[in-house]
Amino acid sequence: MTEKKAITETGWNFDNSYARLPKSVFTRQDPTPVRSPKLIILNDPLATSLGLNVEALQSNDGVAVLAGNQIPEGALPLAQAYAGHQFGHFTLLGDGRALLLGEQITPPGERFDIQLKGSGRTPYSRRGDGRAALGPMLREYIISEAMHALGIATTRSLAVVTSGETVIRETGQPGAILTRVAASHLRVGTFQYVSNWGTAQDLQALADYTLQRHFPEVDADENRYLFLLQEVIKRQAGLIAKWQLVGFIHGVMNTDNMALSGETIDYGPCAFMDAYDPATVFSSIDMHGRYAYGNQPPIAAWNLARFAETLLPLLHEGEEQAVELAEDAISDFTELYHRNWLAGMRGKLGIFNEEQEDESLIEGLLNMMQKYSADYTNTFRALTFDKPEDTVLFGATEFAQWHELWQARLARQQEPKASSHQLMRVSNPALIPRNHRVEDALEAAVKQGDYSVMERLLDVLSSPYEHSPEQADYSTLPALSTSPYRTFCGT
Ligand SMILES: Nc1ncnc2c1ncn2[C@@H]1O[C@H](COP(=O)(O)OP(=O)(O)OP(=O)(O)O)[C@@H](O)[C@H]1O
């Protein structure tokens, strides 16, 4: 299927399978060249794993590709069409400031989307300028790479280049382009677009493409499209559980930001929770807490129901039967999610086997953490190292009781204490990208052109489970502030 392409010195080896889909799902569009591209950061390990040559990528020609000023051989830039429910309201969207160059075929034959974000206007730009500012692109770079290091499926960041141009947001900001790497950029919103504006054939072609790309193991004898729905549900159940387990708040779980691959996508207003509180919201535009930490699982189910709706004509020719199949699949999400979450929580508490009361043990801890505003990450870390005195819970009567119950629970399993400790070490990160640390890194980078703060932060975030003394500084909490931390849809 993959055409043979000449491999350039940089190692780019493009195919563009998306361009073989019906024309209604994309528009061919070249990037708009920028004035003077400058490489700010390059992800060397990721580049190498993609089969790219780091030195060649850093050369003028290499950077020109990352800026959209040159199109490498075999690439066929295009803007993807998609729609989406944004805060519940259905809207026509599409890549308004991003272009898919194609898929890099790595030496072992894997396929990854290479997308430039901030590469100029497209037919889907609406009133936008098609550009991105340096701060939000570096923020996406930092947090997506931190998520990857935490072991959470995510789009990756290959590079950020500045454009030498100013973009106007509230003030003038340095313009930048992020190179995003993804298993694909197929979203729930891609299906919503085709379901609304494409033909039945377009929808089937898109579903077949998605199956081939992400679920090639589909059995010829089964209902392929039901399988697609069930597999997407499974991946999301696993993904959202992982978000909850590390306290990640996506912030803008619109249907256009749910990737069918099961990767986390769109790092605009996301942030990690400090003190445990299910009502935590960081996004400045999320007035009613639709995307609060505790709402993420039901919102994922809601988004998946929108996905299922698009598949109805493919699930069964009878409408009633199709709806029944879709409803059954969607109703599995809650149970699947819960199973993933519970398994992860057991790991965070060093528990290997299953007991009926585990859930109430976990809830007991979370309730106390909420009551005393205990830091989510640091509480689990303190328990990992058996240092309850490091938490604000220490001293509370209910904590002493809970601790006793927990210790008794650990004593009831066969595994020795050392094994529990080891399980907790690999289940509880010492480090998350703390909001104040990310802000400090961005401020130094954008305001002073000093990238050293960000580089050091990226370095420690690359091994979040290491629990080394050198990292200790990065797990301290921000100074108390009267105004809560706020994020903005990154532009
Ligand atoms: N400056 C801009 N110019 C044109 N379109 C834009 C601009 N900023 C955002 N958009 C478009 O608005 C929509 C919502 O934006 P949002 O910030 O959620 O996405 P994004 O961060 O640009 O993209 P992605 O979801 O791919 O990470 C998207 O369709 C996006 O392409």
Side-chain angles (χ1 to χ4, degrees):
M1 180 94 212
T2 303
E3 298 156 42
K4 278 255 176 285
K5 293 273 155 56
I7 297 181
T8 63
E9 188 197 338
T10 318
W12 287 121
N13 182 28
F14 274 107
D15 180 33
N16 199 326
S17 62
Y18 205 80
R20 295 194 283 274
L21 275 167
K23 290 276 175 292
S24 62
V25 300
F26 68 91
T27 305
R28 265 279 292 121
Q29 170 75 52
D30 285 340
T32 309
V34 297
R35 193 179 303 147
S36 52
K38 184 169 165 240
L39 183 64
I40 298 300
I41 185 155
L42 179 66
N43 191 334
D44 295 4
L46 178 60
T48 308
S49 74
L50 289 168
L52 300 172
N53 179 321
V54 168
E55 238 171 79
L57 274 174
Q58 289 166 329
S59 70
N60 285 345
D61 282 350
V63 175
V65 168
L66 301 173
N69 284 12
Q70 264 182 42
I71 298 166
E73 201 188 325
L76 199 65
L78 55 88
Q80 288 179 296
Y82 55 87
H85 275 92
Q86 299 200 307
F87 289 90
H89 303 286
F90 191 64
T91 323
L92 173 62
L93 297 159
D95 288 331
R97 54 161 173 175
L99 290 169
L100 179 67
L101 292 183
E103 299 127 44
Q104 167 73 359
I105 312 297
T106 65
E110 299 155 300
R111 181 179 286 269
F112 292 99
D113 273 16
I114 306 292
Q115 194 198 57
L116 300 181
K117 187 163 166 181
S119 51
R121 288 182 54 83
T122 79
Y124 311 105
S125 296
R126 295 172 290 167
R127 287 187 305 278
D129 59 3
R131 294 300 190 191
L134 177 60
M137 294 306 101
L138 290 178
R139 192 168 193 279
E140 171 156 348
Y141 189 109
I142 296 168
I143 303 184
S144 63
E145 286 307 299
M147 290 287 273
H148 172 72
L150 284 163
I152 300 176
T154 176
T155 62
R156 305 281 308 272
S157 298
L158 179 64
V160 174
V161 296
T162 44
S163 58
E165 297 171 10
T166 300
V167 295
I168 307 299
R169 296 300 176 249
E170 268 165 14
T171 56
Q173 300 278 326
I177 294 151
L178 171 88
T179 305
R180 179 159 66 183
V181 179
S184 86
H185 285 83
L186 296 164
R187 310 159 188 253
V188 168
T190 319
F191 275 77
Q192 290 183 293
Y193 179 89
V194 175
S195 159
N196 268 271
W197 291 286
T199 63
Q201 288 79 5
D202 293 347
L203 183 68
Q204 185 163 356
L206 181 65
D208 286 337
Y209 175 81
T210 309
L211 276 164
Q212 190 194 354
R213 195 120 186 228
H214 295 301
F215 311 102
E217 68 278 13
V218 61
D219 194 328
D221 298 333
E222 64 188 315
N223 181 338
R224 305 162 55 72
Y225 307 111
L226 181 60
F227 181 78
L228 171 63
L229 176 59
Q230 289 167 332
E231 291 303 302
V232 169
I233 289 171
K234 254 190 236 165
R235 288 203 189 173
Q236 286 297 327
L239 178 70
I240 308 295
K242 286 198 169 184
W243 289 2
Q244 301 303 97
L245 290 165
V246 298
F248 175 76
I249 302 172
H250 183 282
V252 62
M253 287 177 70
N254 296 329
T255 53
D256 53 296
N257 290 330
M258 180 178 264
L260 302 180
S261 63
E263 289 182 342
T264 311
I265 188 169
D266 195 334
Y267 285 89
C270 67
F272 281 72
M273 177 170 67
D274 291 318
Y276 177 76
D277 182 356
T280 307
V281 172
F282 292 112
S283 171
S284 55
I285 59 167
D286 192 358
M287 307 296 188
H288 305 292
R290 178 179 169 95
Y291 299 140
Y293 172 78
N295 278 354
Q296 295 190 128
I299 283 290
W302 191 89
N303 289 348
L304 289 163
R306 306 288 77 73
F307 177 52
E309 283 165 5
T310 70
L311 293 178
L312 287 178
L314 298 174
L315 289 178
H316 202 287
E317 26 189 65
E319 203 181 319
E320 236 172 78
Q321 291 94 323
V323 170
E324 203 174 307
L325 289 172
E327 280 176 354
D328 281 354
I330 293 295
S331 67
D332 285 346
F333 173 83
T334 309
E335 169 60 24
L336 280 171
Y337 159 75
H338 189 68
R339 230 187 287 151
N340 279 294
W341 177 84
L342 195 54
M345 272 294 173
R346 284 197 176 100
K348 286 173 88 69
L349 288 176
I351 298 171
F352 287 91
N353 60 344
E354 295 179 14
E355 276 187 17
Q356 195 74 40
E357 296 74 35
D358 290 342
E359 202 159 349
S360 67
L361 185 74
I362 294 161
E363 292 298 341
L365 175 64
L366 293 176
N367 289 342
M368 266 185 302
M369 284 165 69
Q370 183 174 359
K371 179 171 169 191
Y372 294 102
S373 301
D375 182 78
Y376 183 73
T377 306
N378 289 358
T379 300
F380 280 105
R381 200 176 60 138
L383 294 176
T384 303
F385 289 91
D386 206 10
K387 288 193 170 157
E389 63 277 15
D390 287 356
T391 78
V392 292
L393 304 179
F394 194 62
T397 331
E398 67 256 58
F399 179 72
Q401 284 163 357
W402 179 88
H403 196 263
E404 218 170 278
L405 280 176
W406 175 48
Q407 290 302 308
R409 172 67 182 88
L410 293 182
R412 279 199 301 278
Q413 60 185 5
Q414 285 177 346
E415 287 76 6
K417 252 202 136 172
S419 304
S420 279
H421 171 66
Q422 193 46 37
L423 175 61
M424 291 180 75
R425 282 182 77 121
V426 297
S427 307
N428 294 310
L431 282 184
I432 50 164
R434 293 272 178 196
N435 301 320
H436 63 298
R437 287 290 186 178
V438 174
E439 291 304 317
D440 288 351
L442 294 181
E443 186 164 322
V446 177
K447 294 209 177 126
Q448 287 120 43
D450 171 7
Y451 298 104
S452 64
V453 184
M454 178 179 76
E455 279 159 12
R456 172 87 187 110
L457 179 64
L458 282 167
D459 186 42
V460 293
L461 289 174
S462 68
S463 41
Y465 297 97
E466 219 165 65
H467 300 276
S468 68
E470 300 84 67
Q471 296 171 329
D473 220 18
Y474 285 84
S475 55
T476 50
L477 303 180
L480 276 183
S481 154
T482 45
S483 52
Y485 182 69
R486 283 281 166 260
T487 57
F488 303 89
C489 276
T491 55

